[in-house]
Amino acid sequence: MNNVEFHGFRIKLRRGRGYKNFRLSYRGLDDILLSAPKSSSIKECMKFLEDSKQWLVAHKSTQYTIHKDKIFLFGEWIKSELQVLDEWNRLWLYNDKKIVEFYRLKLQEYISISLPKFSKLLGLYPSDVVYGKSLNTLGSCYTVSKKIRFSLRLSLMPYYVIDSIIIHELTHLEFRGHDCNFWNFVAQHDINLVATKTYLKTNSGLNRYIAKKLFKN
């Protein structure tokens, strides 16, 4: 993986056979990942960045505002009780386990209501639900044990995104891979599939940055 500078942006360039097209994604407050086909040259990568400059500027200007009088929960900045707000502000100095538990409980509360609803709708029931701190994987399904694992990063995303991830992981109880049967089943039950894909593509920067501060320190 190479690092390149582009008009004040720090770009991590990753080329591989698995990438058919150029793709940009935020990996942190300042880091941006450019995924590119293995055969692409540096010149081609830089041209793509130049063509995408407007996108880079627009996303950076709208995503990275950190509010110290609010907390980020379920995809929005909200006012919260003083104790939680105080712990939130302390995050920027050092890690605080109490606020991690706050987010864990909030996510568990929502999933405990939403998951049974979708399990009944799909006719698919996990054996257990656990929570982790993964930054890259929002959900995992263990097809042998029928256990589902959700990332605490979901607590930073809108409810409809969480529902989409629930449906996605429940579907893996029936279909192990991501073939057409899997996606056809998902599409039959997830009315927010397109909206979720759009959200994950356009809001990953701030979300990932806060998640790293919350759960990875």
Side-chain angles (χ1 to χ4, degrees):
M1 183 180 293
N2 299 321
N3 294 327
V4 298
E5 292 290 331
F6 177 77
H7 294 290
F9 295 97
R10 188 168 56 214
I11 311 292
K12 292 185 177 180
L13 173 59
R14 181 168 60 191
R15 288 177 285 189
R17 293 187 179 134
Y19 306 119
K20 296 181 180 180
N21 302 298
F22 291 94
R23 180 181 177 183
L24 286 170
S25 59
Y26 279 98
R27 311 302 287 178
L29 194 62
D30 299 308
D31 291 333
I32 300 167
L33 175 65
L34 170 58
S35 303
K38 186 175 180 62
S39 60
S40 58
S41 65
I42 292 293
K43 184 177 179 180
E44 289 173 323
C45 292
M46 297 305 292
K47 183 181 184 305
F48 177 79
L49 288 173
E50 193 66 47
D51 293 340
S52 305
K53 184 179 178 181
Q54 186 175 356
W55 183 90
L56 290 166
V57 173
H59 278 264
K60 186 163 187 177
S61 64
T62 58
Q63 289 197 54
Y64 299 134
T65 301
I66 302 297
H67 297 271
K68 294 302 180 67
D69 60 338
K70 299 178 182 179
I71 67 168
F72 196 71
L73 180 67
F74 295 128
E76 60 181 340
W77 293 100
I78 63 171
K79 293 284 187 180
S80 187
E81 52 264 39
L82 182 61
Q83 181 181 3
V84 174
L85 181 60
D86 180 59
E87 290 164 357
W88 167 268
N89 286 325
R90 292 170 65 197
L91 272 178
W92 312 103
L93 300 177
Y94 55 88
N95 189 30
D96 193 318
K97 293 182 179 180
K98 291 181 181 179
I99 200 168
V100 175
E101 286 307 305
F102 167 80
Y103 277 90
R104 184 189 300 273
L105 288 174
K106 289 294 185 181
L107 181 60
Q108 286 177 326
E109 287 173 5
Y110 181 74
I111 288 182
S112 68
I113 296 172
S114 187
L115 188 142
K117 178 182 68 175
F118 287 111
S119 284
K120 184 176 181 180
L121 177 66
L122 277 61
L124 298 169
Y125 300 86
S127 63
D128 192 15
V129 176
V130 296
Y131 297 86
K133 297 181 180 181
S134 173
L135 290 179
N136 299 319
T137 305
L138 298 178
S140 300
C141 177
Y142 303 91
T143 53
V144 175
S145 65
K146 305 295 184 182
K147 181 172 66 175
I148 290 179
R149 182 184 184 91
F150 293 111
S151 170
L152 293 183
R153 189 179 167 194
L154 286 173
S155 63
L156 305 176
M157 299 183 178
Y159 295 120
Y160 71 86
V161 175
I162 301 174
D163 289 345
S164 289
I165 300 301
I166 290 174
I167 293 172
H168 186 108
E169 299 310 327
L170 285 175
T171 301
H172 275 307
L173 295 174
E174 182 70 20
F175 303 98
R176 179 170 294 188
H178 292 94
D179 59 14
C180 61
N181 293 322
F182 172 90
W183 287 114
N184 287 339
F185 189 86
V186 168
Q188 290 174 20
H189 299 95
D190 188 358
I191 62 173
N192 296 307
L193 183 58
V194 174
T196 293
K197 288 182 178 180
T198 300
Y199 179 87
L200 294 176
K201 182 178 180 180
T202 59
N203 293 276
S204 61
L206 176 63
N207 185 286
R208 187 181 180 87
Y209 174 66
I210 294 177
K212 191 172 183 179
K213 293 295 292 185
L214 281 169
F215 310 131
K216 288 295 184 179
N217 277 357

